[in-house]
Amino acid sequence: QVQLVESGGGLVQPGGSLRLSCTSSTFSLEYYGIGWFRQAPGKEREGVSCIANHQNTAYYADSVKDRFTIVRDNAQNTVDLQIDHLEFEDTAIYYCATAWADCFADSWTSPTNFGSWGQGTRVTVSS
């Protein structure tokens, strides 16, 4: 099983930026579609972005489009999530996960399509 580790979370003011990173010490992420999900207190886990293994096609949830950017760096074995213009509603624990198949337009937002998960990194947006 792929072991994933997220990092980069923290406390940030509204309008600020963070860069979350997902990596693995056991597998090369370049062979996987990688999704980023978040879960806010009392809410279901939601998909925010996914980068496909095929052609690195990127997908974003409408709520984060134009503010989030997913980037794959095969040399570093990372998939980063750049978050700009942070909003209070972005407060959540952020998880990365490997897709069972790949990221596809009609299915990437469902957590059931992902196998291995990291432990999460907490993002808190507060003034």
Side-chain angles (χ1 to χ4, degrees), residues 56-116:
N56 280 331
T57 302
Y59 301 95
Y60 299 95
D62 288 342
S63 60
V64 307
K65 200 175 296 183
D66 299 327
R67 298 190 300 116
F68 287 26
T69 305
I70 193 167
V71 179
R72 186 192 296 272
D73 186 334
N74 291 334
Q76 297 295 323
N77 198 33
T78 58
V79 173
D80 289 356
L81 186 69
Q82 176 68 37
I83 308 175
D84 298 315
H85 306 294
L86 276 155
E87 303 172 352
F88 292 118
E89 293 75 18
D90 295 321
T91 295
I93 299 175
Y94 285 71
Y95 302 88
C96 64
T98 56
W100 286 116
D102 204 350
C103 305
F104 299 107
D106 59 348
S107 63
W108 72 267
T109 59
S110 173
T112 61
N113 290 319
F114 293 79
S116 296

Side-chain angles (χ1 to χ4, degrees), residues 1-4 24-27 32 98 100 114-118:
Q1 186 176 6
V2 179
Q3 292 180 323
L4 300 175
S24 175
S25 60
T26 57
F27 264 80
Y32 294 88
T98 56
W100 286 116
F114 293 79
S116 296
W117 294 79

